[in-house]
PDB file of all heavy atoms in Angstrom:
ATOM      1  N   ARG G  22       6.262  22.514 -17.850  1.00  0.00           N
ATOM      2  CA  ARG G  22       6.177  23.179 -19.154  1.00  0.00           C
ATOM      3  C   ARG G  22       7.545  23.571 -19.685  1.00  0.00           C
ATOM      4  O   ARG G  22       7.659  24.045 -20.807  1.00  0.00           O
ATOM      5  CB  ARG G  22       5.291  24.430 -19.044  1.00  0.00           C
ATOM      6  CG  ARG G  22       3.847  24.046 -18.724  1.00  0.00           C
ATOM      7  CD  ARG G  22       2.955  25.252 -18.699  1.00  0.00           C
ATOM      8  NE  ARG G  22       2.682  25.692 -20.056  1.00  0.00           N
ATOM      9  CZ  ARG G  22       1.625  26.404 -20.394  1.00  0.00           C
ATOM     10  NH1 ARG G  22       0.742  26.731 -19.482  1.00  0.00           N
ATOM     11  NH2 ARG G  22       1.436  26.770 -21.633  1.00  0.00           N
ATOM     12  N   ARG G  47      -2.227   2.400 -16.708  1.00  0.00           N
ATOM     13  CA  ARG G  47      -1.610   1.623 -17.790  1.00  0.00           C
ATOM     14  C   ARG G  47      -0.099   1.505 -17.625  1.00  0.00           C
ATOM     15  O   ARG G  47       0.481   0.484 -17.940  1.00  0.00           O
ATOM     16  CB  ARG G  47      -1.945   2.261 -19.132  1.00  0.00           C
ATOM     17  CG  ARG G  47      -3.393   2.018 -19.476  1.00  0.00           C
ATOM     18  CD  ARG G  47      -3.762   2.582 -20.819  1.00  0.00           C
ATOM     19  NE  ARG G  47      -5.179   2.370 -21.019  1.00  0.00           N
ATOM     20  CZ  ARG G  47      -5.884   2.839 -22.031  1.00  0.00           C
ATOM     21  NH1 ARG G  47      -5.281   3.560 -22.963  1.00  0.00           N
ATOM     22  NH2 ARG G  47      -7.168   2.583 -22.138  1.00  0.00           N
ATOM     23  N   ARG G 138      -0.299   5.712 -30.901  1.00  0.00           N
ATOM     24  CA  ARG G 138      -1.719   5.387 -30.659  1.00  0.00           C
ATOM     25  C   ARG G 138      -2.355   4.782 -31.904  1.00  0.00           C
ATOM     26  O   ARG G 138      -3.041   3.758 -31.830  1.00  0.00           O
ATOM     27  CB  ARG G 138      -2.473   6.658 -30.229  1.00  0.00           C
ATOM     28  CG  ARG G 138      -3.923   6.373 -29.878  1.00  0.00           C
ATOM     29  CD  ARG G 138      -4.628   7.582 -29.284  1.00  0.00           C
ATOM     30  NE  ARG G 138      -6.055   7.297 -29.111  1.00  0.00           N
ATOM     31  CZ  ARG G 138      -6.961   8.218 -28.797  1.00  0.00           C
ATOM     32  NH1 ARG G 138      -6.607   9.478 -28.594  1.00  0.00           N
ATOM     33  NH2 ARG G 138      -8.227   7.867 -28.673  1.00  0.00           N
ATOM     34  N   SER G 139      -2.119   5.403 -33.065  1.00  0.00           N
ATOM     35  CA  SER G 139      -2.705   4.880 -34.298  1.00  0.00           C
ATOM     36  C   SER G 139      -2.121   3.507 -34.636  1.00  0.00           C
ATOM     37  O   SER G 139      -2.849   2.600 -35.041  1.00  0.00           O
ATOM     38  CB  SER G 139      -2.442   5.836 -35.462  1.00  0.00           C
ATOM     39  OG  SER G 139      -3.168   7.035 -35.303  1.00  0.00           O
ATOM     40  N   ALA G 142      -3.686   0.874 -32.481  1.00  0.00           N
ATOM     41  CA  ALA G 142      -5.094   0.620 -32.812  1.00  0.00           C
ATOM     42  C   ALA G 142      -5.223  -0.136 -34.132  1.00  0.00           C
ATOM     43  O   ALA G 142      -6.153  -0.920 -34.309  1.00  0.00           O
ATOM     44  CB  ALA G 142      -5.859   1.938 -32.889  1.00  0.00           C
ATOM     45  N   GLY G 144      -3.117  -2.293 -35.552  1.00  0.00           N
ATOM     46  CA  GLY G 144      -2.492  -3.597 -35.721  1.00  0.00           C
ATOM     47  C   GLY G 144      -0.995  -3.625 -35.913  1.00  0.00           C
ATOM     48  O   GLY G 144      -0.451  -4.658 -36.309  1.00  0.00           O
ATOM     49  N   PHE G 145      -0.300  -2.541 -35.617  1.00  0.00           N
ATOM     50  CA  PHE G 145       1.162  -2.586 -35.710  1.00  0.00           C
ATOM     51  C   PHE G 145       1.751  -3.099 -34.397  1.00  0.00           C
ATOM     52  O   PHE G 145       1.225  -2.849 -33.320  1.00  0.00           O
ATOM     53  CB  PHE G 145       1.732  -1.230 -36.136  1.00  0.00           C
ATOM     54  CG  PHE G 145       1.784  -1.118 -37.640  1.00  0.00           C
ATOM     55  CD1 PHE G 145       0.603  -1.097 -38.384  1.00  0.00           C
ATOM     56  CD2 PHE G 145       2.992  -1.121 -38.313  1.00  0.00           C
ATOM     57  CE1 PHE G 145       0.640  -1.046 -39.766  1.00  0.00           C
ATOM     58  CE2 PHE G 145       3.036  -1.083 -39.689  1.00  0.00           C
ATOM     59  CZ  PHE G 145       1.857  -1.043 -40.432  1.00  0.00           C
ATOM     60  N   ASP G 146       2.842  -3.874 -34.534  1.00  0.00           N
ATOM     61  CA  ASP G 146       3.373  -4.621 -33.394  1.00  0.00           C
ATOM     62  C   ASP G 146       4.534  -3.955 -32.690  1.00  0.00           C
ATOM     63  O   ASP G 146       4.874  -4.334 -31.564  1.00  0.00           O
ATOM     64  CB  ASP G 146       3.877  -5.995 -33.871  1.00  0.00           C
ATOM     65  CG  ASP G 146       2.825  -6.755 -34.648  1.00  0.00           C
ATOM     66  OD1 ASP G 146       1.720  -6.917 -34.104  1.00  0.00           O
ATOM     67  OD2 ASP G 146       3.091  -7.168 -35.794  1.00  0.00           O
ATOM     68  N   GLU G 208      -1.553   1.400 -51.359  1.00  0.00           N
ATOM     69  CA  GLU G 208      -2.301   0.144 -51.422  1.00  0.00           C
ATOM     70  C   GLU G 208      -1.560  -0.895 -52.281  1.00  0.00           C
ATOM     71  O   GLU G 208      -1.514  -2.075 -51.934  1.00  0.00           O
ATOM     72  CB  GLU G 208      -3.688   0.422 -52.009  1.00  0.00           C
ATOM     73  CG  GLU G 208      -4.735  -0.542 -51.546  1.00  0.00           C
ATOM     74  CD  GLU G 208      -6.149   0.001 -51.802  1.00  0.00           C
ATOM     75  OE1 GLU G 208      -6.344   1.231 -51.758  1.00  0.00           O
ATOM     76  OE2 GLU G 208      -7.037  -0.834 -52.051  1.00  0.00           O
ATOM     77  N   MET G 244      -3.203  12.155 -53.170  1.00  0.00           N
ATOM     78  CA  MET G 244      -3.780  13.383 -52.619  1.00  0.00           C
ATOM     79  C   MET G 244      -4.299  14.287 -53.721  1.00  0.00           C
ATOM     80  O   MET G 244      -3.897  14.182 -54.867  1.00  0.00           O
ATOM     81  CB  MET G 244      -2.732  14.134 -51.807  1.00  0.00           C
ATOM     82  CG  MET G 244      -2.648  13.645 -50.384  1.00  0.00           C
ATOM     83  SD  MET G 244      -1.300  14.453 -49.507  1.00  0.00           S
ATOM     84  CE  MET G 244       0.008  13.272 -49.830  1.00  0.00           C
ATOM     85  N   ARG G 245      -5.193  15.188 -53.335  1.00  0.00           N
ATOM     86  CA  ARG G 245      -5.720  16.183 -54.253  1.00  0.00           C
ATOM     87  C   ARG G 245      -4.582  17.091 -54.730  1.00  0.00           C
ATOM     88  O   ARG G 245      -3.725  17.488 -53.933  1.00  0.00           O
ATOM     89  CB  ARG G 245      -6.781  17.002 -53.526  1.00  0.00           C
ATOM     90  CG  ARG G 245      -7.330  18.154 -54.326  1.00  0.00           C
ATOM     91  CD  ARG G 245      -8.449  18.836 -53.557  1.00  0.00           C
ATOM     92  NE  ARG G 245      -9.676  18.053 -53.591  1.00  0.00           N
ATOM     93  CZ  ARG G 245     -10.856  18.500 -53.154  1.00  0.00           C
ATOM     94  NH1 ARG G 245     -10.962  19.710 -52.659  1.00  0.00           N
ATOM     95  NH2 ARG G 245     -11.921  17.732 -53.209  1.00  0.00           N
ATOM     96  N   VAL G 248      -2.353  20.436 -52.938  1.00  0.00           N
ATOM     97  CA  VAL G 248      -2.430  20.460 -51.479  1.00  0.00           C
ATOM     98  C   VAL G 248      -1.118  19.953 -50.901  1.00  0.00           C
ATOM     99  O   VAL G 248      -0.487  19.063 -51.456  1.00  0.00           O
ATOM    100  CB  VAL G 248      -3.597  19.583 -50.991  1.00  0.00           C
ATOM    101  CG1 VAL G 248      -3.600  19.488 -49.476  1.00  0.00           C
ATOM    102  CG2 VAL G 248      -4.914  20.159 -51.487  1.00  0.00           C
ATOM    103  N   ASP G 249      -0.694  20.552 -49.805  1.00  0.00           N
ATOM    104  CA  ASP G 249       0.469  20.074 -49.076  1.00  0.00           C
ATOM    105  C   ASP G 249       0.295  18.624 -48.692  1.00  0.00           C
ATOM    106  O   ASP G 249      -0.811  18.134 -48.585  1.00  0.00           O
ATOM    107  CB  ASP G 249       0.620  20.855 -47.777  1.00  0.00           C
ATOM    108  CG  ASP G 249       1.319  22.164 -48.001  1.00  0.00           C
ATOM    109  OD1 ASP G 249       2.497  22.152 -48.379  1.00  0.00           O
ATOM    110  OD2 ASP G 249       0.668  23.173 -47.811  1.00  0.00           O
ATOM    111  N   SER G 250       1.388  18.004 -48.409  1.00  0.00           N
ATOM    112  CA  SER G 250       1.322  16.632 -47.911  1.00  0.00           C
ATOM    113  C   SER G 250       0.544  16.617 -46.601  1.00  0.00           C
ATOM    114  O   SER G 250       0.338  17.631 -45.945  1.00  0.00           O
ATOM    115  CB  SER G 250       2.726  16.116 -47.683  1.00  0.00           C
ATOM    116  OG  SER G 250       3.378  16.909 -46.723  1.00  0.00           O
ATOM    117  N   ASN G 252      -0.061  15.777 -42.662  1.00  0.00           N
ATOM    118  CA  ASN G 252       0.717  15.709 -41.427  1.00  0.00           C
ATOM    119  C   ASN G 252       1.194  14.265 -41.218  1.00  0.00           C
ATOM    120  O   ASN G 252       0.506  13.322 -41.579  1.00  0.00           O
ATOM    121  CB  ASN G 252      -0.190  16.165 -40.278  1.00  0.00           C
ATOM    122  CG  ASN G 252       0.315  15.702 -38.929  1.00  0.00           C
ATOM    123  OD1 ASN G 252       0.062  14.575 -38.518  1.00  0.00           O
ATOM    124  ND2 ASN G 252       1.037  16.545 -38.244  1.00  0.00           N
ATOM    125  N   ALA G 255      -1.238  11.921 -39.499  1.00  0.00           N
ATOM    126  CA  ALA G 255      -2.375  11.541 -40.348  1.00  0.00           C
ATOM    127  C   ALA G 255      -1.935  10.539 -41.409  1.00  0.00           C
ATOM    128  O   ALA G 255      -2.624   9.543 -41.674  1.00  0.00           O
ATOM    129  CB  ALA G 255      -2.970  12.791 -41.005  1.00  0.00           C
ATOM    130  N   ALA G 258      -1.595   7.123 -39.873  1.00  0.00           N
ATOM    131  CA  ALA G 258      -2.885   6.473 -39.632  1.00  0.00           C
ATOM    132  C   ALA G 258      -3.414   5.848 -40.920  1.00  0.00           C
ATOM    133  O   ALA G 258      -3.842   4.684 -40.933  1.00  0.00           O
ATOM    134  CB  ALA G 258      -3.888   7.479 -39.063  1.00  0.00           C
ATOM    135  N   VAL G 259      -3.360   6.615 -42.002  1.00  0.00           N
ATOM    136  CA  VAL G 259      -3.851   6.094 -43.280  1.00  0.00           C
ATOM    137  C   VAL G 259      -3.027   4.883 -43.716  1.00  0.00           C
ATOM    138  O   VAL G 259      -3.562   3.834 -44.095  1.00  0.00           O
ATOM    139  CB  VAL G 259      -3.814   7.194 -44.367  1.00  0.00           C
ATOM    140  CG1 VAL G 259      -4.072   6.608 -45.744  1.00  0.00           C
ATOM    141  CG2 VAL G 259      -4.838   8.281 -44.051  1.00  0.00           C
ATOM    142  N   TYR G 262      -3.715   1.802 -41.662  1.00  0.00           N
ATOM    143  CA  TYR G 262      -5.018   1.236 -42.022  1.00  0.00           C
ATOM    144  C   TYR G 262      -4.897   0.405 -43.289  1.00  0.00           C
ATOM    145  O   TYR G 262      -5.397  -0.734 -43.360  1.00  0.00           O
ATOM    146  CB  TYR G 262      -6.037   2.359 -42.216  1.00  0.00           C
ATOM    147  CG  TYR G 262      -7.357   1.891 -42.780  1.00  0.00           C
ATOM    148  CD1 TYR G 262      -8.343   1.373 -41.943  1.00  0.00           C
ATOM    149  CD2 TYR G 262      -7.612   1.944 -44.147  1.00  0.00           C
ATOM    150  CE1 TYR G 262      -9.552   0.925 -42.460  1.00  0.00           C
ATOM    151  CE2 TYR G 262      -8.812   1.500 -44.670  1.00  0.00           C
ATOM    152  CZ  TYR G 262      -9.779   0.990 -43.824  1.00  0.00           C
ATOM    153  OH  TYR G 262     -10.967   0.540 -44.352  1.00  0.00           O
ATOM    154  N   VAL G 263      -4.232   0.957 -44.294  1.00  0.00           N
ATOM    155  CA  VAL G 263      -4.087   0.254 -45.567  1.00  0.00           C
ATOM    156  C   VAL G 263      -3.247  -1.011 -45.369  1.00  0.00           C
ATOM    157  O   VAL G 263      -3.592  -2.090 -45.866  1.00  0.00           O
ATOM    158  CB  VAL G 263      -3.441   1.178 -46.623  1.00  0.00           C
ATOM    159  CG1 VAL G 263      -3.159   0.412 -47.910  1.00  0.00           C
ATOM    160  CG2 VAL G 263      -4.347   2.375 -46.899  1.00  0.00           C
TER     161      VAL G 263
ATOM    162  N   ARG P  22      -0.568  33.374 -25.940  1.00  0.00           N
ATOM    163  CA  ARG P  22      -0.738  32.100 -25.234  1.00  0.00           C
ATOM    164  C   ARG P  22      -1.930  32.114 -24.300  1.00  0.00           C
ATOM    165  O   ARG P  22      -2.271  31.098 -23.707  1.00  0.00           O
ATOM    166  CB  ARG P  22       0.523  31.767 -24.452  1.00  0.00           C
ATOM    167  CG  ARG P  22       1.692  31.539 -25.385  1.00  0.00           C
ATOM    168  CD  ARG P  22       2.921  31.124 -24.631  1.00  0.00           C
ATOM    169  NE  ARG P  22       2.817  29.731 -24.227  1.00  0.00           N
ATOM    170  CZ  ARG P  22       3.865  28.972 -23.971  1.00  0.00           C
ATOM    171  NH1 ARG P  22       5.065  29.468 -24.056  1.00  0.00           N
ATOM    172  NH2 ARG P  22       3.709  27.722 -23.605  1.00  0.00           N
ATOM    173  N   ARG P  47      -1.000  32.446 -47.761  1.00  0.00           N
ATOM    174  CA  ARG P  47      -2.244  31.747 -48.127  1.00  0.00           C
ATOM    175  C   ARG P  47      -3.491  32.499 -47.667  1.00  0.00           C
ATOM    176  O   ARG P  47      -4.509  32.515 -48.360  1.00  0.00           O
ATOM    177  CB  ARG P  47      -2.239  30.335 -47.546  1.00  0.00           C
ATOM    178  CG  ARG P  47      -1.269  29.465 -48.302  1.00  0.00           C
ATOM    179  CD  ARG P  47      -1.248  28.053 -47.803  1.00  0.00           C
ATOM    180  NE  ARG P  47      -0.219  27.329 -48.540  1.00  0.00           N
ATOM    181  CZ  ARG P  47       0.177  26.107 -48.270  1.00  0.00           C
ATOM    182  NH1 ARG P  47      -0.377  25.438 -47.269  1.00  0.00           N
ATOM    183  NH2 ARG P  47       1.106  25.529 -48.989  1.00  0.00           N
ATOM    184  N   ARG P 138      -6.806  19.972 -42.586  1.00  0.00           N
ATOM    185  CA  ARG P 138      -5.661  19.653 -43.455  1.00  0.00           C
ATOM    186  C   ARG P 138      -5.856  18.293 -44.139  1.00  0.00           C
ATOM    187  O   ARG P 138      -5.660  18.162 -45.346  1.00  0.00           O
ATOM    188  CB  ARG P 138      -4.364  19.662 -42.630  1.00  0.00           C
ATOM    189  CG  ARG P 138      -3.131  19.435 -43.483  1.00  0.00           C
ATOM    190  CD  ARG P 138      -1.842  19.597 -42.695  1.00  0.00           C
ATOM    191  NE  ARG P 138      -0.712  19.216 -43.533  1.00  0.00           N
ATOM    192  CZ  ARG P 138       0.531  19.101 -43.098  1.00  0.00           C
ATOM    193  NH1 ARG P 138       0.818  19.345 -41.834  1.00  0.00           N
ATOM    194  NH2 ARG P 138       1.510  18.740 -43.914  1.00  0.00           N
ATOM    195  N   SER P 139      -6.244  17.295 -43.375  1.00  0.00           N
ATOM    196  CA  SER P 139      -6.447  15.964 -43.959  1.00  0.00           C
ATOM    197  C   SER P 139      -7.601  15.972 -44.948  1.00  0.00           C
ATOM    198  O   SER P 139      -7.518  15.366 -46.024  1.00  0.00           O
ATOM    199  CB  SER P 139      -6.735  14.935 -42.852  1.00  0.00           C
ATOM    200  OG  SER P 139      -5.591  14.725 -42.067  1.00  0.00           O
ATOM    201  N   ALA P 142      -6.492  17.520 -48.184  1.00  0.00           N
ATOM    202  CA  ALA P 142      -5.546  16.676 -48.925  1.00  0.00           C
ATOM    203  C   ALA P 142      -6.246  15.469 -49.541  1.00  0.00           C
ATOM    204  O   ALA P 142      -5.860  14.989 -50.603  1.00  0.00           O
ATOM    205  CB  ALA P 142      -4.423  16.215 -48.001  1.00  0.00           C
ATOM    206  N   GLY P 144      -9.403  15.116 -50.557  1.00  0.00           N
ATOM    207  CA  GLY P 144     -10.490  15.314 -51.502  1.00  0.00           C
ATOM    208  C   GLY P 144     -11.832  15.736 -50.927  1.00  0.00           C
ATOM    209  O   GLY P 144     -12.843  15.659 -51.632  1.00  0.00           O
ATOM    210  N   PHE P 145     -11.882  16.204 -49.685  1.00  0.00           N
ATOM    211  CA  PHE P 145     -13.165  16.696 -49.161  1.00  0.00           C
ATOM    212  C   PHE P 145     -13.342  18.169 -49.528  1.00  0.00           C
ATOM    213  O   PHE P 145     -12.383  18.925 -49.601  1.00  0.00           O
ATOM    214  CB  PHE P 145     -13.258  16.440 -47.650  1.00  0.00           C
ATOM    215  CG  PHE P 145     -13.839  15.076 -47.389  1.00  0.00           C
ATOM    216  CD1 PHE P 145     -13.132  13.930 -47.749  1.00  0.00           C
ATOM    217  CD2 PHE P 145     -15.101  14.927 -46.858  1.00  0.00           C
ATOM    218  CE1 PHE P 145     -13.674  12.670 -47.567  1.00  0.00           C
ATOM    219  CE2 PHE P 145     -15.656  13.667 -46.666  1.00  0.00           C
ATOM    220  CZ  PHE P 145     -14.943  12.536 -47.024  1.00  0.00           C
ATOM    221  N   ASP P 146     -14.606  18.524 -49.800  1.00  0.00           N
ATOM    222  CA  ASP P 146     -14.900  19.828 -50.392  1.00  0.00           C
ATOM    223  C   ASP P 146     -15.333  20.882 -49.393  1.00  0.00           C
ATOM    224  O   ASP P 146     -15.336  22.078 -49.722  1.00  0.00           O
ATOM    225  CB  ASP P 146     -16.045  19.687 -51.417  1.00  0.00           C
ATOM    226  CG  ASP P 146     -15.756  18.618 -52.440  1.00  0.00           C
ATOM    227  OD1 ASP P 146     -14.688  18.677 -53.063  1.00  0.00           O
ATOM    228  OD2 ASP P 146     -16.590  17.702 -52.592  1.00  0.00           O
ATOM    229  N   GLU P 208     -15.382   1.008 -45.034  1.00  0.00           N
ATOM    230  CA  GLU P 208     -15.265   0.741 -46.463  1.00  0.00           C
ATOM    231  C   GLU P 208     -16.618   0.315 -47.045  1.00  0.00           C
ATOM    232  O   GLU P 208     -16.985   0.725 -48.155  1.00  0.00           O
ATOM    233  CB  GLU P 208     -14.225  -0.366 -46.682  1.00  0.00           C
ATOM    234  CG  GLU P 208     -13.553  -0.289 -48.015  1.00  0.00           C
ATOM    235  CD  GLU P 208     -12.266  -1.119 -48.051  1.00  0.00           C
ATOM    236  OE1 GLU P 208     -11.591  -1.223 -46.999  1.00  0.00           O
ATOM    237  OE2 GLU P 208     -11.967  -1.654 -49.125  1.00  0.00           O
ATOM    238  N   MET P 244     -10.456  -2.033 -35.624  1.00  0.00           N
ATOM    239  CA  MET P 244      -9.277  -1.838 -34.771  1.00  0.00           C
ATOM    240  C   MET P 244      -8.920  -3.118 -34.044  1.00  0.00           C
ATOM    241  O   MET P 244      -9.745  -4.001 -33.859  1.00  0.00           O
ATOM    242  CB  MET P 244      -9.550  -0.735 -33.754  1.00  0.00           C
ATOM    243  CG  MET P 244      -9.264   0.648 -34.303  1.00  0.00           C
ATOM    244  SD  MET P 244      -9.729   1.918 -33.142  1.00  0.00           S
ATOM    245  CE  MET P 244     -11.427   2.202 -33.631  1.00  0.00           C
ATOM    246  N   ARG P 245      -7.672  -3.173 -33.600  1.00  0.00           N
ATOM    247  CA  ARG P 245      -7.200  -4.300 -32.807  1.00  0.00           C
ATOM    248  C   ARG P 245      -7.981  -4.349 -31.491  1.00  0.00           C
ATOM    249  O   ARG P 245      -8.228  -3.318 -30.865  1.00  0.00           O
ATOM    250  CB  ARG P 245      -5.706  -4.102 -32.534  1.00  0.00           C
ATOM    251  CG  ARG P 245      -5.102  -5.144 -31.642  1.00  0.00           C
ATOM    252  CD  ARG P 245      -3.616  -4.919 -31.502  1.00  0.00           C
ATOM    253  NE  ARG P 245      -2.908  -5.382 -32.703  1.00  0.00           N
ATOM    254  CZ  ARG P 245      -1.584  -5.466 -32.788  1.00  0.00           C
ATOM    255  NH1 ARG P 245      -0.826  -5.122 -31.780  1.00  0.00           N
ATOM    256  NH2 ARG P 245      -1.022  -5.899 -33.901  1.00  0.00           N
ATOM    257  N   VAL P 248      -7.821  -2.066 -27.740  1.00  0.00           N
ATOM    258  CA  VAL P 248      -7.193  -0.757 -27.887  1.00  0.00           C
ATOM    259  C   VAL P 248      -8.264   0.324 -27.890  1.00  0.00           C
ATOM    260  O   VAL P 248      -9.357   0.125 -28.408  1.00  0.00           O
ATOM    261  CB  VAL P 248      -6.369  -0.706 -29.187  1.00  0.00           C
ATOM    262  CG1 VAL P 248      -5.844   0.688 -29.436  1.00  0.00           C
ATOM    263  CG2 VAL P 248      -5.241  -1.709 -29.135  1.00  0.00           C
ATOM    264  N   ASP P 249      -7.939   1.447 -27.298  1.00  0.00           N
ATOM    265  CA  ASP P 249      -8.832   2.600 -27.350  1.00  0.00           C
ATOM    266  C   ASP P 249      -9.116   2.976 -28.790  1.00  0.00           C
ATOM    267  O   ASP P 249      -8.356   2.670 -29.685  1.00  0.00           O
ATOM    268  CB  ASP P 249      -8.145   3.811 -26.727  1.00  0.00           C
ATOM    269  CG  ASP P 249      -8.266   3.811 -25.229  1.00  0.00           C
ATOM    270  OD1 ASP P 249      -9.386   3.949 -24.730  1.00  0.00           O
ATOM    271  OD2 ASP P 249      -7.242   3.660 -24.601  1.00  0.00           O
ATOM    272  N   SER P 250     -10.143   3.731 -28.961  1.00  0.00           N
ATOM    273  CA  SER P 250     -10.439   4.251 -30.281  1.00  0.00           C
ATOM    274  C   SER P 250      -9.296   5.146 -30.741  1.00  0.00           C
ATOM    275  O   SER P 250      -8.469   5.592 -29.961  1.00  0.00           O
ATOM    276  CB  SER P 250     -11.728   5.055 -30.229  1.00  0.00           C
ATOM    277  OG  SER P 250     -11.557   6.151 -29.355  1.00  0.00           O
ATOM    278  N   ASN P 252      -7.597   8.574 -32.133  1.00  0.00           N
ATOM    279  CA  ASN P 252      -7.798  10.017 -32.004  1.00  0.00           C
ATOM    280  C   ASN P 252      -8.692  10.496 -33.149  1.00  0.00           C
ATOM    281  O   ASN P 252      -8.641   9.955 -34.253  1.00  0.00           O
ATOM    282  CB  ASN P 252      -6.415  10.682 -32.044  1.00  0.00           C
ATOM    283  CG  ASN P 252      -6.472  12.138 -32.426  1.00  0.00           C
ATOM    284  OD1 ASN P 252      -6.523  12.477 -33.603  1.00  0.00           O
ATOM    285  ND2 ASN P 252      -6.497  13.001 -31.444  1.00  0.00           N
ATOM    286  N   ALA P 255      -6.916  11.288 -36.419  1.00  0.00           N
ATOM    287  CA  ALA P 255      -6.441  10.094 -37.115  1.00  0.00           C
ATOM    288  C   ALA P 255      -7.616   9.356 -37.766  1.00  0.00           C
ATOM    289  O   ALA P 255      -7.532   8.903 -38.914  1.00  0.00           O
ATOM    290  CB  ALA P 255      -5.703   9.170 -36.136  1.00  0.00           C
ATOM    291  N   VAL P 259      -8.209   8.531 -41.867  1.00  0.00           N
ATOM    292  CA  VAL P 259      -8.496   7.199 -42.407  1.00  0.00           C
ATOM    293  C   VAL P 259      -9.833   7.203 -43.146  1.00  0.00           C
ATOM    294  O   VAL P 259      -9.948   6.708 -44.282  1.00  0.00           O
ATOM    295  CB  VAL P 259      -8.501   6.145 -41.280  1.00  0.00           C
ATOM    296  CG1 VAL P 259      -9.056   4.823 -41.789  1.00  0.00           C
ATOM    297  CG2 VAL P 259      -7.097   5.962 -40.714  1.00  0.00           C
ATOM    298  N   TYR P 262      -9.673   9.015 -46.440  1.00  0.00           N
ATOM    299  CA  TYR P 262      -8.949   8.212 -47.427  1.00  0.00           C
ATOM    300  C   TYR P 262      -9.872   7.150 -48.025  1.00  0.00           C
ATOM    301  O   TYR P 262      -9.927   6.965 -49.244  1.00  0.00           O
ATOM    302  CB  TYR P 262      -7.733   7.558 -46.770  1.00  0.00           C
ATOM    303  CG  TYR P 262      -7.030   6.556 -47.656  1.00  0.00           C
ATOM    304  CD1 TYR P 262      -6.080   6.965 -48.583  1.00  0.00           C
ATOM    305  CD2 TYR P 262      -7.320   5.191 -47.573  1.00  0.00           C
ATOM    306  CE1 TYR P 262      -5.444   6.051 -49.416  1.00  0.00           C
ATOM    307  CE2 TYR P 262      -6.699   4.274 -48.398  1.00  0.00           C
ATOM    308  CZ  TYR P 262      -5.757   4.711 -49.315  1.00  0.00           C
ATOM    309  OH  TYR P 262      -5.136   3.794 -50.138  1.00  0.00           O
ATOM    310  N   VAL P 263     -10.586   6.470 -47.160  1.00  0.00           N
ATOM    311  CA  VAL P 263     -11.482   5.406 -47.621  1.00  0.00           C
ATOM    312  C   VAL P 263     -12.601   6.002 -48.474  1.00  0.00           C
ATOM    313  O   VAL P 263     -12.942   5.481 -49.542  1.00  0.00           O
ATOM    314  CB  VAL P 263     -12.057   4.621 -46.424  1.00  0.00           C
ATOM    315  CG1 VAL P 263     -13.095   3.613 -46.882  1.00  0.00           C
ATOM    316  CG2 VAL P 263     -10.933   3.934 -45.658  1.00  0.00           C
TER     317      VAL P 263
END
Side-chain angles (χ1 to χ4, degrees):
Chain G
R22 295 184 76 156
R47 288 182 183 174
R138 184 173 173 190
S139 291
F145 272 66
D146 307 306
E208 208 163 328
M244 275 175 268
R245 175 176 284 189
V248 174
D249 277 295
S250 61
N252 160 277
V259 169
Y262 172 84
V263 174
Chain P
R22 295 184 76 156
R47 287 182 184 172
R138 184 174 174 188
S139 291
F145 272 67
D146 307 307
E208 207 163 327
M244 274 175 270
R245 176 176 283 189
V248 173
D249 277 294
S250 62
N252 159 277
V259 169
Y262 172 84
V263 174

